[in-house]
């Protein structure tokens, strides 16, 4: 906990920073300076190898406890997702093995903040990059963790777009020269027309999730002005350019404890990976209040 906040970092670290940690140390330098209490990482590609060497190195550097998603031997590359927690703050109630229906398995950890009776579900996900239908199914699975009585923070690389219009316009697909990418990021409606894939976001919002960056932009005034910044696609005009595809969602009232959202994208972060780091800051007392309300005890995530 830094300066009276609970900080959650979400970051897709491209190819885990390299098998030999060519860029990983750059990423860890950035994270170590931020001192997050939770890290939700995507593309933990090499973190299982050599007795989880890279995962343990991250634990040591950041002073966090790490978890990896369920192994996936049925894909060409078993690219893990990861959750790291500060052990002084969080007691891990259970790590949930999650597989179907995901393309890449999410890492799902149930943790209790201090002595709060209601567990907080923390999910690091990386949605399918090539199939809009698969992404919608994956979003459907996440709605389970938005059912009444459940508190959840789920975040990661959505490979899709927000449904609600934002300052950053969606790609003009007629100008996108990477036609395979155009197919990956769109869906076809019943009349045969293609549209930018906003359906996963719509499913999560309709189920009761709150897009945390949108919440900051809507409620924090000038302090939320940068929350809707792009997180990927910076050097890819052939794929439509920068977009906000890395997003965090909360359910169960967790958004009420949010204080600040920051998108960290600069020269140093670009040297480490092709995605921006998104940092969510929570007020600890308000978050504990959310996780102690008696009516939340009626149902827990299965």
């Amino acid at each position: 906990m830094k300066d009276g906040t609970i900080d959650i970092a979400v970051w897709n670290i491209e190819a885990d920073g390299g098998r030999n940690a060519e860029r990983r140390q750059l990423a860890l330098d950035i994270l170590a300076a931020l001192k997050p209490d939770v890290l939700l990482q995507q593309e933990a590609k090499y973190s299982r190898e050599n007795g989880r060497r890279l995962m343990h190195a991250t634990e040591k550097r950041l002073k966090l406890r790490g978890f990896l998603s369920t192994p996936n031997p049925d894909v060409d590359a078993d690219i893990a997702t990861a959750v790291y927690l500060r052990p002084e703050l969080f007691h891990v109630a259970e790590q949930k093995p999650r597989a179907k229906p995901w393309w890449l398995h999410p890492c799902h950890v149930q943790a209790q903040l201090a002595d709060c009776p209601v567990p907080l579900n923390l999910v690091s996900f990386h949605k399918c990059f090539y199939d809009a239908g698969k992404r919608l199914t994956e979003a459907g699975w996440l709605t389970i963790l938005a059912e009444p009585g459940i508190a959840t923070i789920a975040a990661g690389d959505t490979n899709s777009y927000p449904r609600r219009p934002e300052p950053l316009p969606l790609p003009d697909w007629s100008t996108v020269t990477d036609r395979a990418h155009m197919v990956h990021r769109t869906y076809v409606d019943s009349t045969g027309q293609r549209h930018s894939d906003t359906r996963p976001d719509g499913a999560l919002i309709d189920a009761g999730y709150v897009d945390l960056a949108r919440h900051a932009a809507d409620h924090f005034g000038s302090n939320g002005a940068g929350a809707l910044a792009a997180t990927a696609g910076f050097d890819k005009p052939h794929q439509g350019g920068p977009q906000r595809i890395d997003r965090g969602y909360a359910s169960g009232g967790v958004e009420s404890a949010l204080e600040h959202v920051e998108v960290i994208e600069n020269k140093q972060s670009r040297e480490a990976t092709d995605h921006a780091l998104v940092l969510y800051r929570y007020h600890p007392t308000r978050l504990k209040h959310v996780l102690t309300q008696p009516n939340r005890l009626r149902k827990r995530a299965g």
Side-chain angles (χ1 to χ4, degrees):
M1 189 159 58
K2 181 181 179 182
D3 297 330
T5 61
I6 294 176
D7 293 356
I8 299 180
V10 180
W11 207 4
N12 182 333
I13 302 175
E14 184 181 17
D16 224 359
R19 174 174 269 130
N20 298 314
E22 298 92 341
R23 290 169 286 106
R24 191 178 184 84
Q25 291 308 314
L26 293 172
L28 290 180
D29 287 345
I30 295 169
L31 289 165
L34 293 171
K35 298 180 181 178
D37 301 296
V38 178
L39 168 62
L40 305 181
Q41 183 198 345
Q42 295 77 55
E43 290 202 32
K45 185 174 183 178
Y46 303 113
S47 289
R48 297 193 206 282
E49 295 183 353
N50 301 313
R52 300 191 172 191
R53 178 179 61 86
L54 292 183
M55 187 195 82
H56 294 315
T58 301
E59 289 179 314
K60 183 177 180 180
R61 180 74 189 279
L62 302 181
K63 298 180 173 59
L64 304 177
R65 181 184 176 191
F67 302 86
L68 297 177
S69 56
T70 304
N72 188 2
D74 298 325
V75 294
D76 294 336
D78 181 15
I79 303 174
T81 51
V83 173
Y84 293 87
L85 304 173
R86 190 165 302 285
E88 306 96 281
L89 282 178
F90 293 96
H91 166 70
V92 175
E94 187 176 3
Q95 181 178 10
K96 297 282 190 176
R98 299 302 189 188
K100 294 179 180 180
W102 291 83
W103 167 63
L104 296 179
H105 296 165
C107 188
H108 176 198
V109 174
Q110 274 189 352
Q112 289 177 285
L113 174 61
D115 58 354
C116 297
V118 180
L120 178 62
N121 291 277
L122 294 161
V123 184
S124 175
F125 63 76
H126 192 166
K127 292 186 179 180
C128 183
F129 80 90
Y130 63 86
D131 187 337
K134 185 74 167 176
R135 288 192 294 269
L136 185 58
T137 299
E138 291 168 344
W141 181 91
L142 283 171
T143 65
I144 296 170
L145 299 180
E147 292 177 357
I150 299 175
T152 300
I153 297 173
D157 184 343
T158 71
N159 276 314
S160 54
Y161 308 105
R163 177 174 65 180
R164 183 174 162 185
E166 297 193 348
L168 190 67
L170 295 178
D172 177 354
W173 296 112
S174 67
T175 67
V176 170
T177 57
D178 185 339
R179 303 312 287 168
H181 182 80
M182 180 275 294
V183 171
H184 297 163
R185 290 286 182 87
T186 61
Y187 70 94
V188 179
D189 68 15
S190 59
T191 68
Q193 299 296 310
R194 282 199 176 272
H195 304 275
S196 296
D197 186 22
T198 63
R199 297 183 304 171
D201 177 72
L204 296 177
I205 299 303
D206 289 347
Y209 276 105
V210 173
D211 177 338
L212 293 168
R214 168 55 68 180
H215 179 80
D218 287 347
H219 298 285
F220 295 171
S222 60
N223 290 331
L228 300 179
T231 65
F234 303 107
D235 299 315
K236 299 178 179 178
H238 60 296
Q239 294 185 344
Q243 291 291 328
R244 189 172 73 92
I245 67 168
D246 301 270
R247 298 192 296 277
Y249 297 87
S251 70
V254 172
E255 72 283 352
S256 65
L258 186 69
E259 283 196 331
H260 180 70
V261 177
E262 183 176 358
V263 178
I264 299 173
E265 194 277 316
N266 51 40
K267 181 180 178 181
Q268 187 181 19
S269 69
R270 288 197 190 192
E271 290 175 353
T273 180
D274 57 349
H275 286 248
L277 185 159
V278 187
L279 187 70
Y280 303 94
R281 285 191 165 141
Y282 289 86
H283 189 285
T285 302
R286 293 206 297 265
L287 185 55
K288 288 177 182 178
H289 177 71
V290 169
L291 299 176
T292 54
Q293 295 183 54
N295 64 346
R296 297 187 185 285
L297 293 171
R298 288 179 293 183
K299 185 172 183 179
R300 296 190 180 194

